[in-house]
Amino acid sequence: MSETASTRPSFWARHAWIIAAIWLFFLIFPLMTVWEFSGSPAIRGLGLASIAAFAGVYLYGFITLPDCLGGHAPKRAWTIFGILCILPLPTMLVDAANYLSFTPFLISFAAYLLGLRALLVTAALSFAGLVLAGWWLGSVDAVLSLGIAMALVFVVNLMVTQMMRAGQSAEHMRVELARAEERVKLSRDVHDLLGHSLTVVKLKSELAEKLLDAEPARAKKELHEIGEITAEALAGVRATVTGLRGASLSQELLNSQATLEAAGHAVTVSGDPDDVPPAVSVQLGWVIREVTTNILRHAHATEVLISWDVDSLTIEDDGDGWGSIRKDVSGPDAVEGNGLRGIRERLAAVDARLVLSESRFGGALVEVAW
C-alpha cells in the first residue's frame, strides 16, 4: 500500500527553495547600506561577504532540509539556523540596526524548517530587538516600517504554515481511509474466494465419494480437479494477503519488474514512483499488479516500458495489443475484463483516469493520469 504523507517529500519540501530565492531580493536593503558605507573598505567587504553568505546558507537550508510541518526539525536544521543568526553580525559594524533587516528571513526559516514553537520564539526575540533598537537609537520612526514588515511576515508565515499543517493532516487521514477501505475490500475478496472454492470442493468431494466404487476413474478425475481448485484458491489467497500486507508502491514496482524479467521480458523503468501522491499510490499498486498479470498471460511481449511522471504513469509493451476487434478500448463501448474494470473503478475513486490504447510498438498502452 502507499507510503504515508510523512514519509514522502511534500510539495513544499520540493519547491520551497524557489519562493525562498525570490524573497532574497529584499536583502537589497542591508546590501545597499553596506555598499554605500564610506568607512573602512575592509569592513564594507566583510559586510558584503556576510550578506552573500547569509543568502547562500538560507537558500541551501530550503533546498536540502525537509519541512517540519508535521514533526520535529533535524539537528542539522538548528545548526543552519544558528549559522544564519551569526552571519549578519558583521553588517552591524556599518549600521547597528542592520541586523534587524535579516529578522524576517529568520522568522520564515523558523516557520517552515524549525516548527511553530521556534517561529513564536524567533518572532518574539525579533520584536524585542526591534523595540530595543528603537529605544537605543532614539528614533522609533526609523524602525517603524521594518516593524510593520516584520509583523506581516510573522502573520503570513503563521497562517500559511497552519494551513499547510491542516492540509497534511487531511492528506494523512485520506491515506488512512484509503488503506482501511482497501483492507475491507481485500478481506471481502478472501471471503468470496474461499467461499466459492470451498463450496466447489465440498460438492466434488461428495460426488467423488459416491463414484468411488461404481466409477473409480471418474472419481479419480473429480479428486484431481479438487486438487487443482485447491491450488488455485491457495494462489489467490497468497496474492490477496500480499495486498493486505501493504507493500509500498516502490516495492510493487520492484516485484513486478522482477516477475516480468524472470519470464523473459526486458523491462525499462524511468521516473520516480515516490513523487506519486500517497492517496493515489494505493490504487497504482493495483494497476501495476493487474497490468503485469495481463502481460504475462496475454501479451506475448518481449519488452515492457514503465514511465513515471509527477501526474501520470505509462506502461507499454510490444506484444499482441488489445486484439483485432477494437484497437482503442478506452471508449464507452470498450470490452474490458473484470480486472481492468475494477482498476478503472478504483482510480475513479481518487479522481484518476485510466486510458487503454495501442502503444507505439504495436502492443498495449496503459496510461493513468491524476
Side-chain angles (χ1 to χ4, degrees):
M1 227 169 268
S2 70
E3 298 170 75
T4 63
S6 61
T7 61
R8 295 183 66 256
S10 67
F11 176 86
W12 177 256
R14 297 193 301 270
H15 302 289
W17 68 271
I18 300 176
I19 307 299
I22 294 174
W23 281 100
L24 285 175
F25 168 79
F26 291 97
L27 286 176
I28 189 68
F29 299 110
L31 182 64
M32 292 300 297
T33 301
V34 175
W35 181 260
E36 295 172 356
F37 180 62
S38 57
S40 169
I43 292 178
R44 182 173 65 174
L46 180 61
L48 294 175
S50 68
I51 294 173
F54 182 91
V57 174
Y58 183 79
L59 193 58
Y60 171 80
F62 275 95
I63 292 175
T64 61
L65 292 171
D67 69 60
C68 72
L69 299 175
H72 298 288
K75 291 182 179 179
R76 190 162 60 93
W78 289 98
T79 301
I80 294 176
F81 183 70
I83 294 173
L84 289 175
C85 291
I86 296 172
L87 283 175
L89 292 176
T91 65
M92 296 180 67
L93 298 174
V94 176
D95 187 338
N98 250 351
Y99 193 93
L100 295 174
S101 299
F102 296 87
T103 52
F105 295 94
L106 298 178
I107 291 173
S108 296
F109 189 96
Y112 296 103
L113 302 179
L114 297 181
L116 180 59
R117 183 178 300 178
L119 167 62
L120 297 176
V121 172
T122 303
L125 292 176
S126 298
F127 282 110
L130 185 64
V131 172
L132 289 175
W135 171 77
W136 184 43
L137 298 174
S139 176
V140 177
D141 294 338
V143 294
L144 181 59
S145 59
L146 182 58
I148 295 174
M150 192 185 299
L152 288 174
V153 169
F154 169 72
V155 172
V156 169
N157 280 308
L158 180 62
M159 293 177 60
V160 172
T161 52
Q162 289 300 97
M163 291 173 60
M164 293 171 65
R165 286 187 180 92
Q168 285 189 353
S169 177
E171 179 67 10
H172 179 74
M173 291 179 63
R174 185 180 179 187
V175 171
E176 291 303 318
L177 179 60
R179 285 179 166 177
E181 291 175 347
E182 285 299 312
R183 287 187 173 94
V184 169
K185 186 181 184 305
L186 289 169
S187 299
R188 190 187 310 121
D189 291 344
V190 170
H191 174 272
D192 293 344
L193 176 64
L194 290 179
H196 171 75
S197 300
L198 292 176
T199 300
V200 175
V201 167
K202 180 177 182 296
L203 293 174
K204 286 187 170 291
S205 62
E206 291 175 350
L207 179 59
E209 185 179 0
K210 294 178 181 178
L211 296 174
L212 190 59
D213 295 328
E215 300 181 52
R218 186 178 171 186
K220 183 178 179 181
K221 179 182 177 183
E222 293 294 335
L223 291 173
H224 178 72
E225 291 180 359
I226 289 175
E228 292 180 340
I229 293 170
T230 303
E232 183 179 347
L234 287 172
V237 170
R238 290 192 187 101
T240 306
V241 171
T242 298
L244 282 170
R245 283 200 301 267
S248 69
L249 184 56
S250 298
Q251 188 59 51
E252 290 290 356
L253 178 61
L254 290 175
N255 292 343
S256 294
Q257 183 176 357
T259 301
L260 290 168
E261 290 177 345
H265 301 77
V267 182
T268 302
V269 180
S270 61
D272 188 356
D274 288 338
D275 289 334
V276 175
V280 179
S281 67
V282 173
Q283 313 302 337
L284 292 182
W286 287 94
V287 174
I288 293 175
R289 286 194 291 272
E290 177 64 25
V291 174
T292 299
T293 300
N294 285 341
I295 292 173
L296 292 172
R297 289 181 176 177
H298 312 297
H300 303 105
T302 59
E303 186 175 1
V304 180
L305 278 71
I306 304 175
S307 303
W308 295 92
D309 204 343
V310 293
D311 58 0
S312 64
L313 163 65
T314 302
I315 306 175
E316 55 184 327
D317 61 61
D318 61 350
D320 297 339
W322 300 106
S324 58
I325 297 179
R326 184 178 177 85
K327 290 184 178 180
D328 179 10
V329 295
S330 60
D333 298 327
V335 178
E336 299 179 358
N338 291 329
L340 290 175
R341 190 179 304 112
I343 291 300
R344 191 182 294 279
E345 292 172 354
R346 291 176 185 273
L347 292 173
V350 292
D351 297 324
R353 303 182 307 280
L354 175 68
V355 177
L356 310 174
S357 57
E358 182 178 350
S359 76
R360 50 185 166 165
F361 309 109
L365 173 64
V366 178
E367 295 178 282
V368 181
W370 53 87

